[in-house]
Amino acid sequence: MGGLELQRKSVMNVNGLLSKDTREDEDGNGNEEDSCSVCVAVKIRPLVTSEQEHGCRGTLAVAGGQQVTTEHSGSKHQFTYDAVFGEGGQEASLLYPKCVSALVEGLFRGYNATVFAYGQTGSGKTYTMGSEYKPGKQSTVGVIPETIHSIFSRIEASKDWQCTVRVGFVEIHKEEVRDLLIATSGPRPAVSIRESPGGGVCLYGATEMEVRTQEEMAAVLEMGT
């Protein structure tokens, strides 16, 4: 019986996206140089109507699909990332296949994976992650719905093994971890981060739900949103 766990945290936001694949060698020891791969990407959203009406203008220039130059008050700064998507960069639709897809594949080989996004308020974080995903809405895009689809497509295509999918939904706010799957109008019980007996890290006290279909996983996402 294979075990697969996914945990969606509300800390995942954009303009920046970081993904990490931590692997172990044959002796069970993580090799930092050869087996830990970190990808840092940026997604640039276009100016919205209200910004254009107020005379705002873009201050970013992208070169080579990896370099971003910022210009403000005569000062320029250049930054290099693994990939740049959106305005002036690569097509936004390539974000998932280039930054996340390989991590999902790694889950089925027993590796841990982390994807989180960050950015200031209004930078397009919720849209990029797709945390408002609902099955049947063709307009819904993002990392989460594409991940859900990839996981269950892989499970449905496999005939010689079984996989159990459990999901949790927590938020991290002011260094406090809260379980969003507990229906309560009052304070939510605190969740603590502890080391598991197998040497990993677990969220002690967080709710986990077993899901068997894309629709069930989307329902859990909606429950915590």
Side-chain angles (χ1 to χ4, degrees):
M1 176 69 74
L4 175 63
E5 297 183 7
L6 295 181
Q7 295 180 335
R8 188 273 180 188
K9 301 178 176 59
S10 60
V11 74
M12 299 192 297
N13 292 316
V14 164
N15 271 23
L17 180 76
L18 183 147
S19 59
K20 181 175 182 180
D21 181 9
T22 304
R23 308 184 177 189
E24 295 184 348
D25 58 26
E26 295 181 354
D27 297 325
N29 300 314
N31 186 315
E32 188 68 23
E33 181 178 356
D34 297 328
S35 59
C36 179
S37 177
V38 177
C39 171
V40 181
V42 170
K43 182 183 177 186
I44 304 171
R45 71 157 175 79
L47 295 176
V48 297
T49 302
S50 60
E51 293 169 334
Q52 293 174 341
E53 291 176 347
H54 283 83
C56 298
R57 64 179 183 85
T59 60
L60 302 178
V62 180
Q66 292 182 301
Q67 291 186 338
V68 177
T69 301
T70 65
E71 181 177 359
H72 181 68
S73 300
S75 178
K76 289 186 178 181
H77 301 278
Q78 189 176 82
F79 305 90
T80 301
Y81 301 91
D82 291 297
V84 179
F85 302 95
E87 299 288 282
Q90 303 176 57
E91 289 292 330
S93 60
L94 296 177
L95 186 150
Y96 181 83
K98 289 199 171 186
C99 297
V100 183
S101 180
L103 301 183
V104 176
E105 288 297 312
L107 292 177
F108 290 90
R109 299 195 298 273
Y111 301 137
N112 296 323
T114 300
V115 178
F116 72 88
Y118 53 93
Q120 67 187 56
T121 301
S123 59
K125 304 179 291 290
T126 299
Y127 178 84
T128 297
M129 296 311 298
S131 56
E132 296 181 348
Y133 166 64
K134 293 180 177 60
K137 290 182 61 176
Q138 298 298 323
S139 60
T140 302
V141 296
V143 171
I144 292 175
E146 291 190 81
T147 298
I148 292 175
H149 176 74
S150 295
I151 288 174
F152 284 98
S153 294
R154 177 71 178 268
I155 292 174
E156 292 169 3
S158 301
K159 305 296 183 181
D160 55 349
W161 49 269
Q162 292 181 315
C163 184
T164 299
V165 182
R166 295 187 300 273
V167 295
F169 194 169
V170 303
E171 72 171 357
I172 303 174
H173 181 65
K174 294 183 178 179
E175 300 185 2
E176 180 181 351
V177 184
R178 300 174 182 174
D179 189 345
L180 298 181
L181 297 183
I182 296 179
T184 176
S185 58
R188 300 178 185 271
V191 177
S192 59
I193 302 175
R194 301 183 183 180
E195 290 189 8
S196 62
V201 177
C202 66
L203 297 175
Y204 183 79
T207 303
E208 286 190 348
M209 296 184 176
E210 183 174 334
V211 293
R212 298 177 177 83
T213 65
Q214 297 185 49
E215 291 74 17
E216 288 183 2
M217 186 181 285
V220 175
L221 177 64
E222 184 177 7
M223 184 187 308
T225 300

